[in-house]
């Protein structure tokens, strides 16, 4: 019995070492989102940027040691002149992860993508005319996740999105997550191309 404290301490040390170099793929996230969209100066003059905001949801779940599911939903709204614009984006992916070294995973994923946008022309505080457009297609992504410290995770990815009725696009993605205990973390992500970007910040729950 006198060796029990030593055994417990050794077990806790081994557990902390394992968590320090193992990336957790089971998480749910929710937060604030803000887009930055480049506008045509010929149509909008000095107002060359449109910055709607809203919220986002994300989640991933490890099905096997290598396979995982991931989903993402972004919704932003904003007023542009007399038009209220809403944009929504949904992704659902099946992915393959591989640990290349302790604290570093590479991944490749692909799946369904849907995007929709609506424009409400406002007159005297009422909707006078509404336009809505949507399309679906596919998206692919590949990247790396890295534990810079036991608390701080960084990741980067390259993504390709092809949705019917819209131009296909290649996007860069940067992410950071800071875990302040075993379950909760603060996160930020940045998805961008040459004409538009979306920044998200929020809270993640790991399980």
């Amino acid at each position: 019995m006198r060796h029990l404290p030593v055994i417990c301490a050794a077990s806790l040390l081994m557990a902390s070492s394992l968590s320090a170099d193992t990336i957790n793929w089971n998480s749910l996230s929710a937060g604030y989102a803000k887009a930055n969209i480049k506008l045509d100066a010929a149509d909008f003059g000095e107002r060359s940027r449109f910055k709607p905001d809203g919220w986002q949801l994300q989640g991933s779940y490890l099905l096997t040691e290598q396979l995982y599911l991931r989903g993402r939903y972004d919704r932003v709204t904003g007023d542009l002149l007399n038009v209220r614009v809403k944009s929504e984006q949904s992704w659902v992916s099946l992915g393959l992860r591989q640990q290349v070294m302790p604290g570093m995973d590479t991944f490749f994923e692909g799946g369904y993508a849907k995007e929709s946008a609506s424009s409400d022309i406002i007159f005297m505080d009422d909707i006078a005319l509404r336009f809505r457009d949507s399309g679906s297609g596919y998206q692919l992504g590949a990247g790396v996740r890295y534990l810079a410290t036991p608390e701080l995770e960084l990741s980067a990815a390259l993504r390709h999105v092809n949705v019917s009725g819209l131009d296909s696009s290649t996007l860069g993605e940067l992410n950071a997550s800071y875990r302040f205990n075993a379950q909760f973390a603060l996160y930020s992500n940045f998805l961008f191309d040459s004409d538009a970007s979306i920044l998200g910040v929020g809270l993640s729950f790991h399980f």
Side-chain angles (χ1 to χ4, degrees):
M1 291 295 292
R2 63 183 180 180
H3 298 300
L4 185 59
V6 176
I7 295 172
C8 291
S11 300
L12 287 173
L13 180 61
M14 291 176 64
S16 64
S17 298
L18 178 63
S19 63
D21 60 14
T22 303
I23 293 175
N24 190 342
W25 285 82
N26 298 324
S27 67
L28 293 172
S29 304
Y32 172 78
K34 188 175 185 67
N36 189 337
I37 302 169
K38 184 178 179 180
L39 302 176
D40 189 343
D43 294 329
F44 294 94
E46 294 182 358
R47 185 169 185 178
S48 59
R49 292 284 178 177
F50 177 44
K51 300 180 180 181
D53 63 353
W55 50 277
Q56 63 180 204
L57 298 172
Q58 299 182 88
S60 66
Y61 181 71
L62 198 61
L63 299 171
T64 69
E65 188 175 347
Q66 279 81 37
L67 290 175
Y68 66 89
L69 283 174
R70 174 181 281 174
R72 173 170 177 156
Y73 175 78
D74 295 276
R75 173 176 172 167
V76 293
T77 60
D79 293 334
L80 182 62
L81 301 179
N82 291 323
V83 180
R84 184 167 300 149
V85 179
K86 179 177 72 173
S87 176
E88 296 175 280
Q89 175 181 270
S90 305
W91 294 350
V92 179
S93 302
L94 178 65
L96 177 68
R97 63 163 288 271
Q98 180 65 49
Q99 186 181 61
V100 294
M101 59 180 289
M104 179 180 288
D105 288 3
T106 57
F107 63 88
F108 175 82
E109 63 188 43
Y112 175 77
K114 182 178 180 179
E115 297 184 10
S116 65
S118 63
S119 302
D120 296 337
I121 298 178
I122 308 300
F123 180 73
M124 299 293 291
D125 295 327
D126 291 323
I127 298 175
L129 196 60
R130 171 171 290 174
F131 299 93
R132 181 174 176 84
D133 191 20
S134 64
S136 59
Y138 68 89
Q139 45 81 25
L140 303 170
V144 61
R145 297 176 63 177
Y146 172 63
L147 286 175
T149 71
E151 297 83 16
L152 178 62
E153 180 188 322
L154 305 174
S155 70
L158 191 65
R159 301 190 178 277
H160 179 76
V161 183
N162 192 314
V163 174
S164 61
L166 301 173
D167 293 334
S168 62
S169 59
T170 300
L171 308 169
E173 183 179 2
L174 301 174
N175 297 274
S177 176
Y178 185 83
R179 295 180 66 168
F180 49 88
N181 61 35
Q183 283 78 40
F184 293 99
L186 296 174
Y187 80 86
S188 65
N189 59 58
F190 187 56
L191 191 66
F192 61 94
D193 65 10
S194 60
D195 296 323
S197 65
I198 184 166
L199 173 68
V201 292
L203 185 68
S204 295
F205 172 72
H206 296 262
F207 55 93

